[in-house]
Amino acid sequence: GAVVSQHPSWVICKSGTSVKIECRSLDFQATTMFWYRQFPKQSLMLMATSNEGSKATYEQGVEKDKFLINHASLTLSTLTVTSAHPEDSSFYICSLNIASETQYFGPGTRLLVL
Amino acid sequence: AQSVSQHNHHVILSEAASLELGCNYSYGGTVNLFWYVQYPGQHLQLLLKYFSGDPLVKGIKGFEAEFIKSKFSFNLRKPSVQWSDTAEYFCAVTTDSSYKLIFGSGTRLLVRP
Protein backbone atom coordinates (compact mmCIF):
# COMPACT_ATOMS: atom_id res chain seq x y z
CA GLY A 1 0.00 0.00 0.00
CA ALA A 2 0.88 3.64 -0.31
CA VAL A 3 2.86 5.41 2.39
CA VAL A 4 1.38 8.70 3.47
CA SER A 5 3.06 11.09 5.86
CA GLN A 6 1.77 14.13 7.69
CA HIS A 7 3.65 16.98 9.27
CA PRO A 8 3.50 18.03 11.99
CA SER A 9 2.16 15.13 14.00
CA TRP A 10 0.86 17.53 16.62
CA VAL A 11 0.67 21.26 17.04
CA ILE A 12 -0.42 23.65 19.76
CA CYS A 13 -1.21 27.21 18.78
CA LYS A 14 -2.81 30.34 20.15
CA SER A 15 -6.29 31.35 19.14
CA GLY A 16 -6.26 33.56 16.06
CA THR A 17 -3.14 32.12 14.50
CA SER A 18 -2.96 30.02 11.34
CA VAL A 19 -1.63 26.49 11.16
CA LYS A 20 -0.43 24.63 8.09
CA ILE A 21 -0.57 20.84 7.91
CA GLU A 22 1.26 18.95 5.19
CA CYS A 23 0.25 15.64 3.65
CA ARG A 24 2.78 13.83 1.50
CA SER A 25 2.54 10.75 -0.63
CA LEU A 26 5.96 9.14 -0.33
CA ASP A 27 5.85 6.56 -3.08
CA PHE A 28 2.99 7.36 -5.41
CA GLN A 29 1.70 10.32 -7.34
CA ALA A 30 -1.74 11.31 -6.21
CA THR A 31 -4.00 13.57 -8.22
CA THR A 32 -6.58 13.39 -5.47
CA MET A 33 -6.16 13.56 -1.73
CA PHE A 34 -8.76 13.78 0.96
CA TRP A 35 -8.83 15.69 4.24
CA TYR A 36 -10.79 14.38 7.21
CA ARG A 37 -11.42 15.65 10.70
CA GLN A 38 -11.96 13.40 13.68
CA PHE A 39 -13.29 14.79 16.94
CA PRO A 40 -12.69 12.84 20.14
CA LYS A 41 -14.69 9.62 20.29
CA GLN A 42 -16.28 10.36 16.93
CA SER A 43 -15.80 9.08 13.44
CA LEU A 44 -13.90 10.62 10.57
CA MET A 45 -15.77 13.29 8.68
CA LEU A 46 -14.69 14.20 5.18
CA MET A 47 -13.87 17.89 4.94
CA ALA A 48 -12.71 18.28 1.38
CA THR A 49 -11.27 16.63 -1.67
CA SER A 50 -7.95 18.07 -2.75
CA ASN A 51 -7.35 18.08 -6.49
CA GLU A 52 -3.87 18.59 -7.93
CA GLY A 53 -3.70 21.76 -9.97
CA SER A 54 -7.26 22.88 -9.30
CA LYS A 55 -9.52 24.05 -6.52
CA ALA A 56 -10.48 21.77 -3.72
CA THR A 57 -14.02 20.49 -3.38
CA TYR A 58 -15.45 21.14 0.06
CA GLU A 59 -18.15 19.19 1.82
CA GLN A 60 -21.29 20.91 2.94
CA GLY A 61 -20.77 22.93 6.08
CA VAL A 62 -16.99 23.23 5.73
CA GLU A 63 -15.80 26.81 5.33
CA LYS A 64 -13.42 26.99 2.41
CA ASP A 65 -12.03 30.34 3.54
CA LYS A 66 -11.18 28.91 6.92
CA PHE A 67 -9.70 25.62 5.76
CA LEU A 68 -7.46 26.49 2.84
CA ILE A 69 -6.29 23.56 0.77
CA ASN A 70 -3.47 23.67 -1.72
CA HIS A 71 -2.48 20.69 -3.85
CA ALA A 72 0.43 22.10 -5.80
CA SER A 73 2.13 18.86 -6.72
CA LEU A 74 1.29 15.20 -7.16
CA THR A 75 2.87 14.33 -3.83
CA LEU A 76 1.90 17.19 -1.56
CA SER A 77 -1.34 18.67 -0.29
CA THR A 78 -1.54 21.24 2.47
CA LEU A 79 -4.37 22.21 4.78
CA THR A 80 -4.16 25.61 6.44
CA VAL A 81 -6.47 26.32 9.33
CA THR A 82 -6.78 30.10 9.28
CA SER A 83 -7.51 32.13 12.39
CA ALA A 84 -7.79 28.99 14.44
CA HIS A 85 -10.12 28.89 17.43
CA PRO A 86 -10.49 26.34 20.22
CA GLU A 87 -13.41 24.67 18.43
CA ASP A 88 -11.03 23.83 15.58
CA SER A 89 -9.05 21.58 17.92
CA SER A 90 -9.28 18.15 16.39
CA PHE A 91 -7.41 15.35 14.71
CA TYR A 92 -6.84 16.07 11.02
CA ILE A 93 -6.15 13.14 8.73
CA CYS A 94 -5.35 13.03 5.05
CA SER A 95 -5.67 10.14 2.66
CA LEU A 96 -5.14 9.32 -0.96
CA ASN A 97 -6.26 6.62 -3.32
CA ILE A 98 -4.36 5.27 -6.25
CA ALA A 99 -6.61 3.76 -8.89
CA SER A 100 -7.63 0.93 -6.62
CA GLU A 101 -10.59 2.65 -4.98
CA THR A 102 -8.88 2.00 -1.67
CA GLN A 103 -7.78 4.92 0.44
CA TYR A 104 -4.50 5.01 2.30
CA PHE A 105 -4.40 7.20 5.36
CA GLY A 106 -1.76 9.36 6.92
CA PRO A 107 -0.96 9.16 10.63
CA GLY A 108 -2.91 12.32 11.40
CA THR A 109 -2.13 15.69 12.94
CA ARG A 110 -3.48 16.59 16.33
CA LEU A 111 -4.27 20.29 16.61
CA LEU A 112 -4.87 22.00 19.92
CA VAL A 113 -5.89 25.63 19.85
CA LEU A 114 -5.58 27.45 23.16
CA ALA B 1 -28.21 11.07 2.34
CA GLN B 2 -26.00 8.04 2.59
CA SER B 3 -25.05 6.91 6.07
CA VAL B 4 -23.28 4.10 7.86
CA SER B 5 -24.36 2.74 11.23
CA GLN B 6 -22.26 0.78 13.65
CA HIS B 7 -24.47 -0.35 16.47
CA ASN B 8 -21.81 -1.45 18.93
CA HIS B 9 -19.84 1.49 20.25
CA HIS B 10 -17.86 -0.48 22.80
CA VAL B 11 -17.20 -4.20 22.89
CA ILE B 12 -15.24 -6.04 25.56
CA LEU B 13 -14.21 -9.65 24.98
CA SER B 14 -11.87 -12.16 26.48
CA GLU B 15 -9.15 -13.72 24.37
CA ALA B 16 -10.34 -16.59 22.17
CA ALA B 17 -13.91 -15.29 22.14
CA SER B 18 -15.63 -14.84 18.81
CA LEU B 19 -16.25 -11.39 17.45
CA GLU B 20 -18.97 -9.93 15.30
CA LEU B 21 -19.28 -6.19 14.72
CA GLY B 22 -22.35 -4.89 12.99
CA CYS B 23 -22.38 -2.45 10.10
CA ASN B 24 -25.38 -1.25 8.14
CA TYR B 25 -25.52 1.32 5.42
CA SER B 26 -28.32 3.28 3.84
CA TYR B 27 -28.03 3.57 0.07
CA GLY B 28 -29.96 1.86 -2.66
CA GLY B 29 -27.32 1.92 -5.38
CA THR B 30 -23.96 0.33 -5.91
CA VAL B 31 -21.63 0.38 -2.92
CA ASN B 32 -18.07 -0.56 -2.13
CA LEU B 33 -17.60 -1.58 1.48
CA PHE B 34 -14.60 -1.35 3.75
CA TRP B 35 -13.48 -2.13 7.25
CA TYR B 36 -10.62 -0.11 8.64
CA VAL B 37 -8.81 -0.61 11.93
CA GLN B 38 -7.05 1.97 14.06
CA TYR B 39 -4.70 0.52 16.65
CA PRO B 40 -3.85 2.76 19.62
CA GLY B 41 -1.58 5.54 18.47
CA GLN B 42 -1.50 4.37 14.88
CA HIS B 43 -3.13 5.43 11.64
CA LEU B 44 -6.08 3.81 9.92
CA GLN B 45 -5.29 0.58 8.14
CA LEU B 46 -7.42 -1.37 5.72
CA LEU B 47 -8.65 -4.71 7.09
CA LEU B 48 -10.70 -5.82 4.12
CA LYS B 49 -12.90 -4.56 1.34
CA TYR B 50 -15.75 -5.69 -0.88
CA PHE B 51 -16.30 -4.44 -4.39
CA SER B 52 -18.08 -7.32 -6.12
CA GLY B 53 -18.13 -11.10 -6.42
CA ASP B 54 -18.12 -13.45 -3.45
CA PRO B 55 -19.98 -11.66 -0.65
CA LEU B 56 -17.79 -13.32 1.96
CA VAL B 57 -14.46 -11.54 1.96
CA LYS B 58 -11.39 -12.41 3.93
CA GLY B 59 -8.99 -9.83 5.18
CA ILE B 60 -5.81 -9.63 7.13
CA LYS B 61 -5.23 -11.06 10.60
CA GLY B 62 -8.02 -13.63 10.33
CA PHE B 63 -10.85 -11.15 9.87
CA GLU B 64 -13.69 -11.69 7.45
CA ALA B 65 -16.87 -9.87 6.53
CA GLU B 66 -20.06 -10.83 4.77
CA PHE B 67 -21.99 -8.53 2.48
CA ILE B 68 -25.73 -9.19 2.70
CA LYS B 69 -27.33 -6.95 0.14
CA SER B 70 -30.89 -7.59 1.27
CA LYS B 71 -30.00 -6.42 4.77
CA PHE B 72 -27.71 -3.58 3.69
CA SER B 73 -25.15 -5.07 6.04
CA PHE B 74 -21.44 -5.79 6.08
CA ASN B 75 -20.66 -7.33 9.44
CA LEU B 76 -17.10 -8.01 10.52
CA ARG B 77 -16.22 -11.32 12.14
CA LYS B 78 -13.30 -13.12 13.69
CA PRO B 79 -13.66 -16.57 15.22
CA SER B 80 -11.08 -16.10 17.95
CA VAL B 81 -9.81 -12.69 19.02
CA GLN B 82 -6.43 -11.89 20.49
CA TRP B 83 -5.31 -9.21 22.89
CA SER B 84 -3.55 -7.53 19.96
CA ASP B 85 -6.92 -6.99 18.26
CA THR B 86 -7.67 -4.25 20.77
CA ALA B 87 -8.37 -1.27 18.53
CA GLU B 88 -11.09 0.85 17.04
CA TYR B 89 -12.86 -0.54 14.00
CA PHE B 90 -14.54 1.58 11.35
CA CYS B 91 -16.94 0.48 8.68
CA ALA B 92 -17.03 2.69 5.59
CA VAL B 93 -18.65 2.81 2.18
CA THR B 94 -18.25 4.55 -1.12
CA THR B 95 -21.27 4.88 -3.36
CA ASP B 96 -21.50 4.45 -7.12
CA SER B 97 -18.23 5.60 -8.65
CA SER B 98 -17.37 8.17 -6.01
CA TYR B 99 -14.16 7.91 -4.02
CA LYS B 100 -15.67 9.65 -1.03
CA LEU B 101 -15.60 7.43 2.02
CA ILE B 102 -18.51 7.63 4.42
CA PHE B 103 -17.55 6.30 7.83
CA GLY B 104 -19.53 4.75 10.60
CA SER B 105 -19.05 6.01 14.13
CA GLY B 106 -16.59 3.27 15.00
CA THR B 107 -16.50 0.44 17.52
CA ARG B 108 -13.91 0.31 20.26
CA LEU B 109 -12.87 -3.26 20.94
CA LEU B 110 -11.07 -4.21 24.11
CA VAL B 111 -9.76 -7.73 24.34
CA ARG B 112 -8.83 -8.84 27.82
CA PRO B 113 -5.88 -11.25 28.08
Side-chain angles (χ1 to χ4, degrees), chain A residues 18-93:
Chain A
S18 295
V19 175
K20 180 185 282 189
I21 302 170
E22 293 184 349
C23 175
R24 290 184 186 275
S25 173
L26 299 183
D27 48 3
F28 284 94
Q29 294 183 328
T31 56
T32 303
M33 293 184 178
F34 302 90
W35 285 98
Y36 293 83
R37 182 168 52 188
Q38 185 180 26
F39 290 108
K41 299 184 180 180
Q42 296 187 28
S43 187
L44 283 79
M45 297 296 293
L46 180 65
M47 298 174 65
T49 303
S50 171
N51 305 298
E52 188 267 336
S54 64
K55 292 182 179 180
T57 305
Y58 290 82
E59 295 300 299
Q60 192 172 9
V62 178
E63 299 176 57
K64 61 181 180 181
D65 294 329
K66 181 166 185 62
F67 298 100
L68 300 178
I69 292 173
N70 184 281
H71 193 156
S73 78
L74 289 171
T75 58
L76 174 64
S77 175
T78 60
L79 169 68
T80 301
V81 183
T82 62
S83 186
H85 288 93
E87 58 265 29
D88 298 323
S89 298
S90 188
F91 195 49
Y92 293 87
I93 306 170

